[in-house]
């Protein structure tokens, strides 16, 4: 009769392997999608640390790791200045969107007034309108005001109206039971107080998701900065600078990929911190309580 050796690891049971295989089978679609989205990022990272001669060759793994490429791109272009312009554009646009869209969404979701359904249809119609359709008249307007060549034509419209944000917030506000707002009115709260003290705290996930959508859209926006700031390099954002950097250094793909990673990093970090609120806001948006 054999005896087990003290301290020896217990033999792995066959059912442990079956459990692992079952887990892989259940999550196979998610694993395939994760791999599909991760491979381009890995490719960009590996190319960013390659030498100039090895980039975009048949070698997928760097023969030498050139981490100095990330420092070299700051010597080739004023990326910190472009970063400041992108942050100014994205943060002010997001703040303006919240200030204008939250009251509009509250009025469409909670208040009862004549023409509310027509106004909502106009919001949906504005969502379907391509931005290129109104690009020429808007440019003429901002040009007559002498604001072309700056970021203000991109920022100011978010303080006035953003159809997608109004629609998204309105759908989330519909999930909040109306009894809470009615109770606040019975207690003597005005509509503004009910919005600030009741609706906004309960709608934080939806507001966070909408703000994240707006920030990412403006952070990656290329058409707007190209239209208004292409002739003023001091007002370029990172997206416009990236396209110009690739044009100036089209042979040095390792530096272009290094710039791409640096531009992606703030958006990835923001999404990592706001992921829970973002997922919760998207999950409940459109589900009327």
């Amino acid at each position: 009769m054999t005896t087990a050796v003290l301290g020896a690891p217990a033999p792995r049971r066959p059912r442990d392997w079956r459990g692992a295989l079952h887990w892989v089978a259940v999550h196979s679609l998610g694993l395939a999608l994760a791999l599909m989205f991760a491979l381009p990022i890995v490719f960009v990272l590996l190319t960013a640390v390659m030498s100039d001669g090895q980039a975009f060759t048949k070698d997928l793994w760097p023969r030498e790791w050139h981490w100095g490429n990330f420092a070299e791109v700051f010597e080739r272009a004023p990326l910190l200045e472009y970063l400041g312009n992108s942050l100014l554009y994205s943060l002010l646009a997001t703040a303006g969107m919240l200030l204008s869209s939250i009251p509009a969404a509250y009025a469409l979701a909670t208040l009862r007034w004549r023409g509310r359904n027509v106004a909502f249809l106009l919001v949906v119609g504005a969502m379907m309108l391509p931005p290129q359709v109104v690009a020429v008249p808007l440019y003429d307007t901002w040009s007559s005001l002498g604001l072309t060549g700056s970021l203000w034509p991109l920022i100011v419209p978010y303080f006035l109206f953003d159809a997608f944000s109004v629609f998204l917030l309105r759908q989330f506000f519909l999930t909040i039971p109306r009894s809470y707002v009615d109770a606040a009115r019975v207690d003597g709260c005005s509509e503004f107080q009910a919005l600030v003290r009741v609706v906004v705290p309960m709608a934080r996930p939806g507001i966070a998701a909408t703000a994240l959508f707006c920030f990412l859209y403006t952070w990656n926006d290329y058409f707007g900065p190209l239209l208004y700031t292409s002739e003023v390099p001091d007002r370029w954002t990172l997206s416009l600078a990236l396209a110009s950097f690739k044009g100036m250094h089209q042979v040095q793909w390792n530096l272009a990929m290094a710039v791409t990673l640096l531009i992606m990093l703030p958006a990835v970090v923001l999404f990592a911190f706001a992921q829970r609120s973002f997922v919760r806001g998207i999950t409940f948006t459109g589900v009327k309580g």
Side-chain angles (χ1 to χ4, degrees), residues 77 79 82 86 219-223 225-226 230 236-253 255-257 259-260 263:
L79 292 183
Y82 300 149
S86 292
W219 183 265
N220 297 319
D221 186 19
Y222 174 75
F223 177 75
L226 177 65
S230 58
W236 285 2
T237 59
L238 285 173
S239 58
L240 184 57
L242 175 61
S244 302
F245 188 90
K246 288 182 178 179
M248 292 184 295
H249 308 281
Q250 55 183 348
V251 180
Q252 296 177 289
W253 283 106
L255 299 183
M257 293 302 171
V259 175
T260 302
I263 294 176

Side-chain angles (χ1 to χ4, degrees), residues 48-274:
V49 295
M50 289 181 180
S51 62
D52 183 23
Q54 187 186 1
F56 272 68
T57 61
K58 64 179 180 179
D59 298 330
L60 298 179
W61 193 261
R63 290 190 290 266
E64 295 180 358
W65 298 81
H66 296 267
W67 297 102
N69 292 340
F70 293 98
E72 185 176 352
V73 295
F74 286 93
E75 301 174 0
R76 300 291 186 94
L79 292 183
L80 292 179
E81 181 178 353
Y82 300 149
L83 173 64
N85 293 334
S86 292
L87 288 176
L88 179 67
Y89 174 26
S90 298
L91 293 178
L92 288 182
T94 303
M97 178 276 298
L98 293 177
L99 289 175
S100 61
S101 299
I102 291 178
Y106 175 79
L108 290 174
T110 306
L111 302 182
R112 305 296 181 185
W113 46 283
R114 182 177 299 177
R116 187 184 66 168
N117 294 332
V118 175
F120 178 68
L121 290 177
L122 291 177
V123 171
V124 175
M127 290 174 53
M128 301 179 182
L129 186 67
Q132 291 79 10
V133 174
V134 296
V136 174
L138 284 178
Y139 185 87
D140 289 339
T141 302
W142 292 114
S143 179
S144 63
L145 295 176
L147 293 177
T148 54
S150 67
L151 294 174
W152 292 115
L154 304 174
I155 297 173
V156 172
Y158 284 94
F159 283 85
L160 303 176
F161 178 74
D162 182 59
F164 176 75
S165 301
V166 172
F167 173 81
L168 197 64
L169 288 172
R170 183 254 184 189
Q171 297 303 108
F172 193 90
F173 288 171
L174 289 176
T175 66
I176 299 176
R178 186 177 176 82
S179 57
Y180 289 101
V181 179
D182 293 337
R185 292 168 179 166
V186 170
D187 289 340
C189 292
S190 62
E191 295 296 340
F192 178 77
Q193 291 174 330
L195 171 63
V196 173
R197 297 181 181 181
V198 178
V199 176
V200 170
M202 298 182 67
R204 286 178 181 175
I207 294 175
T210 308
L212 186 60
F213 270 126
C214 183
F215 182 89
L216 294 179
Y217 175 80
T218 54
W219 183 265
N220 297 319
D221 186 19
Y222 174 75
F223 177 75
L226 177 65
L227 180 63
Y228 291 104
T229 66
S230 58
E231 298 180 356
V232 186
D234 292 340
R235 296 294 182 267
W236 285 2
T237 59
L238 285 173
S239 58
L240 184 57
L242 175 61
S244 302
F245 188 90
K246 288 182 178 179
M248 292 184 295
H249 308 281
Q250 55 183 348
V251 180
Q252 296 177 289
W253 283 106
N254 55 338
L255 299 183
M257 293 302 171
V259 175
T260 302
L261 280 178
L262 292 175
I263 294 176
M264 290 170 52
L265 185 60
V268 172
V269 172
L270 177 63
F271 181 80
F273 281 101

